């Protein structure tokens, strides 16, 4: 995934565009994160929660949530000159998981957002990326009034693979979200390099 553009001296430089998924449980802040960091108006596929949907979706802890993503959120952010990230926010409910395989094709890695009030909601996303060997960082979305946990505690509670980064963030804050994405790109880059070296050895 990439394209070429001319530099000021008439030469060709490569502009790299990387695909990143933003995943996690229902109501954890995926749409908020994509919207906060995107430099373009984000594409959203949200629908109002219906009474029928409320019997299917667990809204405990997110009682004020009125909409839900039914396909994906899409945004773009330029990390530095020549490096852009295309962000695809996944739907959080099990009934929309048939979209995940399609969205994950060609992805460099993923951000798994977690809410410490409902930590178990991110188990399916963690399992999904671990089983497919897609690098991810776990980002704890810090909600006001929620108990704070250390990265090591969360890593142990979720039984994360050794070395998987756990970072604190505020999904509403652009700089905080950008820092999470930078950590993911760095981590995914190390993982892909290590795999290339393993396969060459």
């Amino acid at each position: 995934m990439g394209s070429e553009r001319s530099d000021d001296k008439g030469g060709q430089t490569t502009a790299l565009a990387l695909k990143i998924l933003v995943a996690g449980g229902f109501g954890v802040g995926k749409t908020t994160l994509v919207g906060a960091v995107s430099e373009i108006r984000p594409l959203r596929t949200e629908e109002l929660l219906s009474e029928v949907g409320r019997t299917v979706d667990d809204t405990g802890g997110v009682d004020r949530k009125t909409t839900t993503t039914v396909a994906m959120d899409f945004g773009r952010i330029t990390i530095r000159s020549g490096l852009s990230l295309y962000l695809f926010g996944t739907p959080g409910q099990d009934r929309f998981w048939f979209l995940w395989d399609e969205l994950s094709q060609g992805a460099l890695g993923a951000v798994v957002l977690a809410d410490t009030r409902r930590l178990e909601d991110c188990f399916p996303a963690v399992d999904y990326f671990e089983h497919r060997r897609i690098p991810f960082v776990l980002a704890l979305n810090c909600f006001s009034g929620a108990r704070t946990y250390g990265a090591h505690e969360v890593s142990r509670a979720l039984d994360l693979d050794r070395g998987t980064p756990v970072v604190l963030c505020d999904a509403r804050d652009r700089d905080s979200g950008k820092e999470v994405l930078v950590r993911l790109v760095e981590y995914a880059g190390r993982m892909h390099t290590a795999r290339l070296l393993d396969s060459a050895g």
Side-chain angles (χ1 to χ4, degrees), residues 145-162:
R147 184 180 161 200
T148 55
Y149 293 86
H152 184 66
E153 286 179 280
V154 171
S155 184
R156 275 193 11 216
L158 294 173
D159 193 25
L160 297 179
D161 287 345
R162 185 182 174 93

Side-chain angles (χ1 to χ4, degrees), residues 28-168:
V28 77
K30 300 179 295 294
T31 298
T32 301
L33 177 66
V34 172
V37 301
S38 182
E39 62 202 15
I40 61 171
R41 184 177 178 188
L43 167 70
R44 293 182 171 149
T45 56
E46 289 194 308
E47 293 293 336
L48 287 172
L49 282 172
S50 65
E51 286 308 310
V52 174
R54 286 184 189 280
T55 64
V56 178
D57 301 322
D58 178 12
T59 57
V62 286
D63 304 327
R64 288 180 290 179
K65 186 172 173 60
T66 58
T67 61
T68 185
T69 299
V70 294
M72 66 170 184
D73 298 312
F74 174 78
R76 186 191 72 214
I77 180 173
T78 302
I79 295 296
R80 58 174 168 73
S81 178
L83 176 59
S84 296
L85 304 182
Y86 291 119
L87 308 175
F88 292 81
T90 64
Q93 304 96 307
D94 298 359
R95 59 198 166 105
F96 296 122
W97 274 24
F98 64 93
L99 295 166
W100 281 44
D101 288 337
E102 193 73 33
L103 288 173
S104 65
Q105 287 190 17
L108 173 78
V111 172
V112 175
L113 266 180
D115 176 354
T116 56
R117 301 170 303 180
R118 309 169 78 205
L119 198 56
E120 68 282 357
D121 288 2
C122 73
F123 273 121
V126 167
D127 285 344
Y128 182 90
F129 296 120
E130 284 185 346
H131 283 111
R132 286 160 183 79
R133 300 186 71 217
I134 297 173
F136 69 94
V137 299
L138 188 95
L140 291 173
N141 193 7
C142 300
F143 289 89
S144 59
R147 184 180 161 200
T148 55
Y149 293 86
H152 184 66
E153 286 179 280
V154 171
S155 184
R156 275 193 11 216
L158 294 173
D159 193 25
L160 297 179
D161 287 345
R162 185 182 174 93
T164 302
V166 177
V167 295
L168 301 178

